[in-house]
Amino acid sequence: MGGIPRHIGIIMDGNGRWAEKRNKKRSYGHKAGSENVQKIAEHAFTRGVEVVTLYAFSSENWARPKGEVEELMHLLGDYLKKLAAKAVKNGIKINVLGRKDRLSAKLNKIVAEQTAKTSGGKRILNILIDYGGRGELVHAMNALVESGETVTEENIGKHLYTAGMPDPDLIIRTGGEVRLSNFLLYQAAYAELYFTDVLWPDFDEAELDKALENFASRERRYGKIEC
Ligand code: FPP
């Protein structure tokens, strides 16, 4: 049975709708969503999870209106500083994973400084920014071609952003949509999927516990059959 997942991935969807329901701008929802990040990550770690990976900005999100993208980028930088200060105290290592070449110099500087502070942490919080699963595979394949390594599952894994980490056991998507949206495509091969209608800013500790209970009841067969 499932037990406690070592690695949880979360697609934090529904911030915009959460704000619209309150007659507020979408940015209000993103802010509320970012304030939920630390609470949920901490709770997962308290339950024994080792790695939490959050989808904060997909490579496809660049196509959103310019104003929303700018607000999101600003929020990510701002929130990362707050998150890193708490992470240092709580023994959490923050990684920002994804393409760096399209982020502003200012955000890249914040990312480098803030993540470096947390490098001693034992539990891992991955924040995906300008991330897409297909893009990650292209990046890994190019690295293999450059190094002349053979294409094997092991070698591909070494060049993914999540190299050295266990694959996600559980992927949660909030906000009612039932799809992966280019999230950890390669690593998700045997992940258990959990979808909830709850919008991300409303996804609290009790909701995470529900997802963990559901995971614990799953029978994981990895393609084998019961003997
Ligand atoms: C999807 O909701 C959410 C996003 C595109 C952004 C998620 C980012 C955060 C919660 C900020 C996280 C901050 C850190 C530092 C990790 P949506 O806007 O697509 O909502 P909708 O589906 O209701 O429109």
Side-chain angles (χ1 to χ4, degrees):
M1 299 304 245
I4 291 285
R6 291 184 69 194
H7 182 173
I8 298 183
I10 308 183
I11 303 174
M12 307 177 287
D13 201 8
N15 296 328
R17 279 166 285 159
W18 185 90
E20 281 156 13
K21 272 168 68 178
R22 288 162 179 76
N23 292 319
K24 302 273 191 190
K25 283 172 58 187
R26 293 174 57 80
S27 56
Y28 182 75
H30 293 314
K31 191 161 181 300
S34 65
E35 280 157 12
N36 206 24
V37 161
Q38 197 221 338
K39 185 175 79 182
I40 294 303
E42 289 280 350
H43 190 64
F45 294 136
T46 306
R47 290 281 183 252
V49 173
E50 296 162 43
V51 183
V52 174
T53 299
L54 303 175
Y55 207 6
F57 190 90
S58 77
S59 295
E60 289 73 28
N61 286 153
W62 292 113
R64 290 193 175 199
K66 193 164 171 270
E68 182 170 342
V69 170
E70 278 170 7
E71 276 170 348
L72 264 171
M73 288 294 150
H74 182 77
L75 182 71
L76 286 168
D78 232 29
Y79 195 68
L80 201 55
K81 291 182 199 161
K82 292 185 197 149
L83 201 59
K86 295 200 176 115
V88 173
K89 283 197 203 125
N90 298 333
I92 297 166
K93 179 180 191 317
I94 298 178
N95 297 314
V96 170
L97 308 179
R99 285 180 65 164
K100 298 285 191 314
D101 58 304
R102 298 190 291 195
L103 304 183
S104 68
K106 189 175 164 204
L107 183 56
N108 269 322
K109 186 165 179 278
I110 296 174
V111 166
E113 284 170 2
Q114 300 305 316
T115 54
K117 270 195 207 168
T118 69
S119 61
K122 293 277 176 284
R123 278 101 37 101
I124 296 176
L125 178 57
N126 294 322
I127 298 173
L128 306 188
I129 302 180
D130 196 0
Y131 172 89
R134 288 183 173 183
E136 181 185 31
L137 274 175
V138 170
H139 165 85
M141 294 303 170
N142 278 322
L144 286 182
V145 169
E146 260 173 49
S147 64
E149 287 163 280
T150 324
V151 179
T152 62
E153 290 191 13
E154 197 190 347
N155 286 342
I156 292 171
K158 280 200 307 203
H159 292 287
L160 296 175
Y161 298 128
T162 53
M165 301 176 202
D167 282 340
D169 303 290
L170 171 64
I171 292 179
I172 298 171
R173 181 172 188 144
T174 63
E177 308 290 357
V178 184
R179 55 177 169 256
L180 283 178
S181 300
N182 213 4
F183 180 68
L184 300 180
L185 293 183
Y186 189 83
Q187 299 89 328
Y190 283 100
E192 298 294 327
L193 308 180
Y194 180 86
F195 298 97
T196 169
D197 288 337
V198 175
L199 304 175
W200 172 248
D202 291 329
F203 188 85
D204 58 11
E205 290 99 330
E207 291 295 335
L208 179 60
D209 283 340
K210 261 200 243 174
L212 291 174
E213 269 165 40
N214 183 288
F215 174 82
S217 71
R218 307 263 184 113
E219 190 193 341
R220 305 189 77 198
R221 290 198 297 274
Y222 301 95
K224 297 179 207 126
I225 52 165
E226 280 284 292
C227 294

